[in-house]
Amino acid sequence: MIGKSLKIIQEELEQGTITVESMVNMYLDNIERTKDFNAYVEVFKEEALEGARQLDLKIKSSPDQLGELFGAVISIKDNICYNGHIVTAGSKMLDDFEAPYSSTAVERMIQADAIIIGRTNCDEFSMGSTSESSFYGPVKNAVDATCIAGGSSGGAAVSVKQNTCIAALGSDTGGSVRQPASFNGVIGYKPTYGLVSRWGLIAYGSSFDVIGVLSNDIQTIAMITDVISGPDDYDSTAIQDPSPRFTNEKINLKGKKVAYLNELLSHSKLNDSVKNAFFSFTEKLENNEVEVVGEAFEYSDYLVPAYYILCAAEASSNLSRFDGVRYGHRADGKFQDYREMIKQSRTEGFGNEVKKRIILGNYVLSEGHYDAYFTKAMKVRQIIKNAIEDLFLKYDYIVLPTTTTQAWLIGDASVDPVEMYLSDMFTVLANLSGIPAISIPLTNNIESLPLGIQVMAKSRDDTNLLEFVSAINEVIR
Ligand code: GLN
């Protein structure tokens, strides 16, 4: 079934050559077979099977009433609320927290007859690049189990690669959909900020967060995006005017103008095999009469610092609600006063990476440091945004590697935390400027680990981006 698009699956279901129940059973078998990879925190087995049986009946009895996503079996990252189901954001803090409502994205998928098969493991509160900071243990890379799956949506990427679902919902604050997609050899799409409502997504950096889709097939990603995107009264940052629907019409590559950013491609942190793979990709574009130009981008050294300052600031504010009173883990014992109780609950409930970000966030927001860090980072963000908008006056797309290296070993103590933050330099650009970006699998490097490249378009040009990527996907292999 790997590689089958949702369109094909829907045709087969309508012709009666397969059933939803048999498909769900196949996915459940695959989940069982690959459970050592730790991609799922919980599998909604009985519920998915029951949903499948009902859908099989509906396909027979009222085919004209089928929703757009019938036959789509989808995993959701464990930071996306699904009414009546536990949602933990990979944290002890929310270990037994049951979502009191569904996120808009999940609600719309269910209305469109999709089946949710389970919730996938991720870095705690989506903070990380490896899926090792989860309270539920690290996720293993689907191609090499000794390596990290990437993160924070590591479970989502592995769930797709292991063929346990047709697509996965993840979330992308600084690369969390695209980076694990690249490390596991699947496609990962981060929409324009605000294209998909954030209602019911556990917040990390609210001005960056966006729900994204991972799959092996662009058209499937587009079909899901068509359903989950659009205005939402519950999220004032959701884009009001609906974007044009994806048409699968073939874009003509000839004459398209594409830029890459020189300073990023000559950065000392960029690994040679990634660089070579990237330039063999641009060569293929040129062979197809796409014009590829290296452009100067003088802000490359400011991307990661601006991102981490702003995200930590937003995270420290967003996570203040987890106090053991309104939400979250509450420490046992007798306390002098409520402050002690909150302190102990947060000490026990949060892991180290989250604590580090809360401390950093409070620091950059504190009196005396606010202007030096937070205000400055906001200015840098605006400058970067303007520079990117200027580039899109001249170019149709920007292309970059997705990551600086291939996936590294789980628990590799030699990876220092700052190095890990720096490895996000190609992905945070899209979140700082709000533009859409997709990572597509490019090649396996010599150690046979997958590598991806990223394509970005201007804000709200998502449909065009998906169509372009669909076209280049065919010529780069
Ligand atoms: N690695 C980045 C971080 O830790 C991005 C995470 C994300 O996109 N959620 O902030």
Side-chain angles (χ1 to χ4, degrees):
M1 180 91 53
I2 243 177
K4 253 194 207 176
S5 69
L6 179 56
K7 261 270 162 294
I8 303 273
I9 287 177
Q10 291 184 335
E11 279 165 27
E12 292 182 357
L13 286 169
E14 279 172 328
Q15 287 155 6
T17 51
I18 55 169
T19 63
V20 187
E21 188 179 359
S22 66
M23 216 164 56
V24 168
N25 270 318
M26 185 258 318
Y27 287 137
L28 289 170
D29 286 348
N30 289 348
I31 292 177
E32 184 55 31
R33 193 172 43 77
T34 59
K35 65 172 189 277
D36 286 351
F37 287 82
N38 208 16
Y40 283 84
V41 183
E42 188 187 356
V43 182
F44 308 139
K45 182 174 175 186
E46 293 313 322
E47 203 183 313
L49 281 170
E50 182 50 35
R53 283 180 213 117
Q54 283 180 15
L55 191 55
D56 280 327
L57 290 177
K58 191 170 173 184
I59 293 171
K60 282 208 188 101
S61 63
S62 34
D64 48 328
Q65 281 167 33
L66 287 169
E68 281 176 65
L69 296 184
F70 81 95
V73 178
I74 296 172
S75 72
I76 55 172
K77 184 177 178 181
D78 191 15
N79 63 350
I80 299 174
C81 293
Y82 181 14
N83 193 12
H85 297 73
I86 303 281
V87 57
T88 74
S91 182
K92 177 178 178 182
M93 186 52 96
L94 291 174
D95 190 30
D96 56 2
F97 179 73
E98 197 179 292
Y101 55 81
S102 286
S103 59
T104 300
V106 165
E107 190 58 43
R108 288 181 181 169
M109 291 199 306
I110 290 173
Q111 290 303 324
D113 282 335
I115 289 175
I116 313 294
I117 196 156
R119 54 189 170 97
T120 56
N121 204 352
C122 57
D123 278 305
E124 186 177 8
F125 285 101
S126 301
M127 297 173 191
S129 307
T130 66
S131 294
E132 291 175 295
S133 75
S134 167
F135 178 58
Y136 305 98
V139 183
K140 296 176 181 169
N141 188 292
V143 178
D144 179 346
T146 63
C147 291
I148 54 153
S152 63
S153 314
V158 174
S159 76
V160 171
K161 187 67 177 181
Q162 305 284 29
N163 197 24
T164 67
C165 52
I166 191 161
L169 287 196
S171 66
D172 195 311
T173 306
S176 273
V177 160
R178 290 160 286 154
Q179 186 256 32
S182 167
F183 281 174
N184 289 281
V186 302
I187 305 170
Y189 160 51
K190 170 211 128 35
T192 294
Y193 177 78
L195 189 75
V196 180
S197 165
R198 287 180 296 114
W199 173 254
L201 169 68
I202 295 179
Y204 163 18
S206 308
S207 74
F208 298 81
D209 296 341
V210 63
I211 290 179
V213 190
L214 301 93
S215 181
N216 288 308
D217 174 61
I218 295 279
Q219 192 185 14
T220 305
I221 289 179
M223 286 169 76
I224 294 170
T225 308
D226 277 344
V227 168
I228 64 177
S229 59
D232 182 12
D233 288 345
Y234 291 124
D235 178 3
S236 60
T237 61
I239 294 172
Q240 286 306 310
D241 37 324
S243 43
R245 294 177 70 86
F246 178 79
T247 64
N248 218 20
E249 245 170 53
K250 286 279 155 286
I251 269 194
N252 190 358
L253 293 179
K254 189 174 171 187
K256 290 283 180 229
K257 286 183 155 184
V258 164
Y260 63 86
L261 309 177
N262 286 333
E263 286 77 359
L264 282 171
L265 263 304
S266 55
H267 203 282
S268 60
K269 297 291 171 208
L270 179 62
N271 171 307
D272 276 346
S273 62
V274 180
K275 195 172 175 170
N276 294 340
F278 176 79
F279 283 114
S280 70
F281 158 73
T282 55
E283 214 177 287
K284 285 182 189 146
L285 289 183
E286 283 169 338
N287 293 343
N288 283 277
E289 297 183 73
V290 174
E291 189 183 327
V292 184
V293 181
E295 271 281 346
F297 186 70
E298 55 187 308
Y299 310 109
S300 45
D301 283 341
Y302 303 104
L303 293 167
V304 170
Y307 167 77
Y308 274 96
I309 288 171
L310 295 173
C311 257
E314 294 188 20
S316 68
S317 163
N318 276 327
L319 269 58
S320 63
R321 75 190 64 168
F322 301 106
D323 54 10
V325 180
R326 290 166 294 184
Y327 294 95
H329 169 79
R330 181 185 294 207
D332 278 338
K334 285 218 175 316
F335 300 101
Q336 250 172 338
D337 57 23
Y338 74 92
R339 281 195 190 85
E340 283 301 311
M341 190 281 286
I342 291 176
K343 194 164 144 189
Q344 190 56 25
S345 301
R346 286 168 69 84
T347 301
E348 290 174 10
F350 290 136
N352 285 345
E353 187 61 34
V354 172
K355 285 176 185 155
K356 209 187 317 177
R357 310 260 182 132
I358 292 175
I359 293 169
L360 176 65
N362 279 300
Y363 178 79
V364 299
L365 288 174
S366 62
E367 202 185 339
H369 298 111
Y370 188 90
D371 282 339
Y373 293 103
F374 184 74
T375 312
K376 193 162 274 175
M378 289 288 277
K379 287 181 184 161
V380 170
R381 183 181 194 179
Q382 192 57 51
I383 290 170
I384 290 170
K385 221 171 159 174
N386 295 345
I388 294 296
E389 271 167 23
D390 284 351
L391 273 179
F392 281 123
L393 297 175
K394 286 202 279 175
Y395 298 96
D396 301 302
Y397 310 98
I398 295 175
V399 288
L400 285 175
T402 308
T403 54
T404 50
T405 62
Q406 69 205 56
W408 53 91
L409 291 173
I410 291 177
D412 189 347
S414 67
V415 184
D416 99 50
V418 176
E419 289 280 314
M420 195 177 83
Y421 296 163
L422 278 173
S423 74
D424 291 336
M425 75 184 172
F426 296 123
T427 48
V428 297
L429 174 72
N431 305 77
L432 282 163
S433 47
I435 59 174
I438 304 186
S439 174
I440 51 173
L442 188 55
T443 168
N444 286 358
N445 78 352
I446 32 176
E447 282 123 281
S448 332
L449 282 165
L451 278 178
I453 52 104
Q454 262 186 117
V455 188
M456 305 175 185
K458 63 172 183 278
S459 182
R460 303 189 184 204
D461 221 4
D462 294 64
T463 310
N464 173 15
L465 174 65
L466 288 161
E467 285 167 352
F468 178 67
V469 169
S470 174
I472 60 172
N473 216 5
E474 285 174 16
V475 301
I476 60 172
R477 262 154 247 294

